[in-house]
Amino acid sequence: MKKLLQKAIPKMYGFYFNILHLFSKEKSADLALRVFSVPRKGNILPHQKSFLSTARTQKIAFEDGLFMLYHWKGNGPTVLLNHGWESNSFRWKYLIEPLQELDYNIISIDAPAHGGSDGTLFTAVKYSRIIKDTIELYQPKIVIAHSVGAMATIFQESQKPHPFIEKFVFLGSPNRLEVIMRGYQELTSFNNSVYESLNKSLKAKFGYHIEEFNAANFAKKIKVPALIVHNPDDLIVPFQAMEEIAAAMPFATTYTSQTGGHSLYTQEVIDRVIEFLKEA
């Protein structure tokens, strides 16, 4: 019964978007974007609190609330960690501990509407503005980002590059927003008229049509060494995304992980990331 409801509820949303579109294209598009932008999970769970409490925490103001920042102090270079969709800073535990052993100064943030940050809505563009604020506050030499966090980071650095950043690591990054939005359309079964209205709405709100928002387009402006990691068995983001982004990024190195799926939590990935950070 539970599985049946999980499949039926998205279709009910799509049916409602289609009906509403007959009366108001704008309201239908706005509602479709709102539903798409609300994470279903990513709150801090009880078992995550203990580890996160080992960091110094700070809440920083942004446009519609406060976002949570965690700081594990070290004497080495500063590393900024940006998680992905429906996650929070706990997802970096597997990498934070090896970085601490090497005495890196570690900063991690919770995205809008995730973890300890305020808000109910998330977009990659909104996240990119929080990433920008954090970069300018802590001036990291290294930025490591996962999934949509990687897409948001690449977008941000295309808008305002920070010359003090020396290396990037992008894990399981999506490339084309169109792939994500077509997946959303398939899940909910809203029609192409709603899709086109949603496309126009995104252009008006963020300055890009869906088909224009591609990480590979933005990656051209990242001109420092970057490691891009992906797994061929990633069920969330197509493996092709790594190849497309890397082809556009002037100093990119790719690594095909044989483990980790989309999350890329494994020792194999940790070892490659640490190796990359140690490279001259």
Side-chain angles (χ1 to χ4, degrees):
M1 183 65 177
K2 185 178 180 181
K3 289 184 178 179
L4 183 63
L5 284 173
Q6 288 174 339
K7 291 181 179 179
I9 289 173
K11 303 299 183 185
M12 292 170 64
Y13 274 118
F15 177 76
Y16 184 64
F17 300 157
N18 292 339
I19 296 299
L20 183 59
H21 195 265
L22 297 174
F23 300 95
S24 174
K25 295 179 181 179
E26 291 79 12
K27 287 182 179 179
S28 177
D30 286 347
L31 182 60
L33 179 59
R34 176 172 287 272
V35 171
F36 174 77
S37 302
V38 175
R40 297 162 298 172
K41 55 185 178 179
N43 293 330
I44 298 171
L45 301 175
H47 76 276
Q48 299 174 339
K49 291 180 180 179
S50 177
F51 174 73
L52 293 175
S53 69
T54 63
R56 178 183 68 83
T57 59
Q58 180 181 0
K59 285 209 167 185
I60 300 173
F62 71 106
E63 55 228 47
D64 58 357
L66 302 173
F67 73 89
M68 177 64 81
L69 180 145
Y70 304 86
H71 184 190
W72 288 269
K73 186 173 176 55
N75 296 311
T78 298
V79 180
L80 172 62
L81 306 174
N82 302 326
H83 70 78
W85 172 249
E86 294 186 337
S87 186
N88 61 57
S89 289
F90 179 81
R91 71 95 54 212
W92 294 113
K93 180 177 185 294
Y94 78 100
L95 186 57
I96 287 171
E97 291 172 341
L99 291 173
Q100 284 181 301
E101 291 177 6
L102 297 170
D103 205 22
Y104 281 95
N105 187 46
I106 305 162
I107 305 296
S108 181
I109 56 177
D110 286 344
H114 290 76
S117 294
D118 292 343
T120 56
L121 301 178
F122 171 94
T123 67
V125 174
K126 185 177 185 180
Y127 194 11
S128 76
R129 294 195 286 265
I130 288 178
I131 291 170
K132 171 181 172 292
D133 289 350
T134 307
I135 288 174
E136 292 178 354
L137 182 62
Y138 280 91
Q139 299 193 358
K141 289 189 175 182
I142 301 157
V143 179
I144 303 175
H146 175 248
S147 192
V148 177
M151 178 183 260
T153 301
I154 293 169
F155 173 72
Q156 149 51 38
E157 286 305 296
S158 75
Q159 303 301 297
K160 186 181 179 184
H162 293 91
F164 48 79
I165 298 177
E166 298 177 357
K167 290 184 178 181
F168 290 95
V169 177
F170 300 119
L171 306 171
S173 178
N175 178 27
R176 294 184 289 142
L177 179 61
E178 185 175 10
V179 172
I180 298 171
M181 298 307 293
R182 287 299 184 186
Y184 176 45
Q185 182 184 23
E186 182 178 354
L187 176 68
T188 58
S189 296
F190 62 76
N191 60 40
N192 285 332
S193 295
V194 174
Y195 187 92
E196 287 308 313
S197 293
L198 180 57
N199 201 7
K200 291 177 182 177
S201 178
L202 287 171
K203 175 68 173 180
K205 293 179 188 304
F206 303 116
Y208 295 90
H209 286 116
I210 293 170
E211 63 274 13
E212 296 171 335
F213 199 92
N214 299 328
N217 292 342
F218 308 132
K220 298 171 185 177
K221 296 187 178 180
I222 294 182
K223 297 182 179 180
V224 297
L227 173 66
I228 307 176
V229 181
H230 216 107
N231 179 274
D233 299 323
D234 188 331
L235 299 178
I236 307 298
V237 177
F239 182 74
Q240 181 183 359
M242 177 180 77
E243 298 168 337
E244 293 170 343
I245 294 169
M249 198 176 291
F251 302 101
T253 299
T254 62
Y255 181 73
T256 300
S257 173
Q258 300 305 313
T259 57
H262 181 63
S263 296
L264 296 168
Y265 287 134
T266 60
Q267 189 63 48
E268 176 193 6
V269 175
I270 294 170
D271 291 344
R272 182 64 188 100
V273 170
I274 296 299
E275 179 184 26
F276 175 72
L277 298 187
K278 289 180 176 179
E279 291 172 2

